[in-house]
Amino acid sequence: AQSVTQLGSHVSVSEGALVLLRCNYSSSVPPYLFWYVQYPNQGLQLLLKYTSAATLVKGINGFEAEFKKSETSFHLTKPSAHMSDAAEYFCALNQAGTALIFGKGTTLSVSS
Amino acid sequence: EAGVTQFPSHSVIEKGQTVTLRCDPISGHDNLYWYRRVMGKEIKFLLHFVKESKQDESGMPNNRFLAERTGGTYSTLKVQPAELEDSGVYFCASSHISGRASREQYFGPGTRLTVT
């Protein structure tokens, strides 16, 4: 069975600090992996995706994630947090043409 | 290109009433998905349409939920009669029909349903 685990339901960082949101997955076949972000009162927006090409994936707003098969991880990072990064982040996986399986989400708070 | 739209954005109904949610996918996207997030839980899959056909409805919680996709365009999700546990945010997503592009799903803003 496929699953996604996000470690930490809430992460707090200071503005300018490194952002690290953790995601581990379980899948019997090579998955496609995604990070989505939901800003307050908005829908889910795709941040980045891993599609079996490069293992280091760059997304929007300065975020990136590295696919590590040996660790079954796909952690999301950003070198320097901005106040505007405060949102809820979701890691997800799927197979071709099938539904996404989501983690429980991580709320990122950024303080000045 | 217009994104996925959902209507209404919010709905408050009493237990036992009926509510119909609507989703308009991105034009040309044959895959349409419904998801739900109950408070404090993860976003969970409800069902998947390919054009007007139900490809997978394994996530539908019970027979109080009825989804349709008329002519392979917009979709509706009806809850009848609504129960308290149906409260949550209902998301719709769409994607291309096949290939790598089929994996990338575009989400609507969601409908927040509150059953009192």
Side-chain angles (χ1 to χ4, degrees), chain A residues 32 34 36 38 43-44 46 49 51-52 88 90 94-100 102-104, chain B residues 31 33 35 37 40-43 45 48 91 99-100 102-110:
Chain A
Y32 275 25
F34 304 84
Y36 284 86
Q38 185 179 22
L44 292 166
L46 182 66
K49 60 186 177 185
T51 59
S52 75
E88 190 165 17
F90 297 91
N94 73 354
Q95 307 300 322
T98 64
L100 288 162
F102 285 89
K104 290 189 175 183
Chain B
N31 285 314
Y33 303 84
Y35 296 87
R37 189 182 193 196
K41 305 283 188 179
E42 63 265 42
I43 301 168
F45 164 74
H48 170 203
F91 292 103
R100 286 190 169 188
S102 72
R103 298 193 180 210
E104 186 170 333
Q105 297 180 19
Y106 297 83
F107 281 77

Side-chain angles (χ1 to χ4, degrees), chain B residues 55-70:
Chain B
Q55 181 77 10
D56 180 0
E57 50 185 330
S58 61
M60 294 287 263
N62 51 60
N63 59 10
R64 294 186 293 103
F65 289 75
L66 175 63
E68 295 179 326
R69 190 178 182 191
T70 306

Side-chain angles (χ1 to χ4, degrees), chain A residues 18-36:
Chain A
L18 171 72
V19 175
L20 171 60
L21 305 183
R22 300 178 186 273
C23 172
N24 288 89
Y25 70 91
S26 173
S27 179
S28 57
V29 297
Y32 275 25
L33 291 158
F34 304 84
W35 276 99
Y36 284 86

Side-chain angles (χ1 to χ4, degrees), chain B residues 50-83:
Chain B
V50 176
K51 298 184 180 179
E52 67 276 7
S53 300
K54 292 176 184 175
Q55 181 77 10
D56 180 0
E57 50 185 330
S58 61
M60 294 287 263
N62 51 60
N63 59 10
R64 294 186 293 103
F65 289 75
L66 175 63
E68 295 179 326
R69 190 178 182 191
T70 306
T73 56
Y74 70 92
S75 175
T76 58
L77 179 64
K78 180 188 288 188
V79 185
Q80 179 183 28
E83 298 289 345

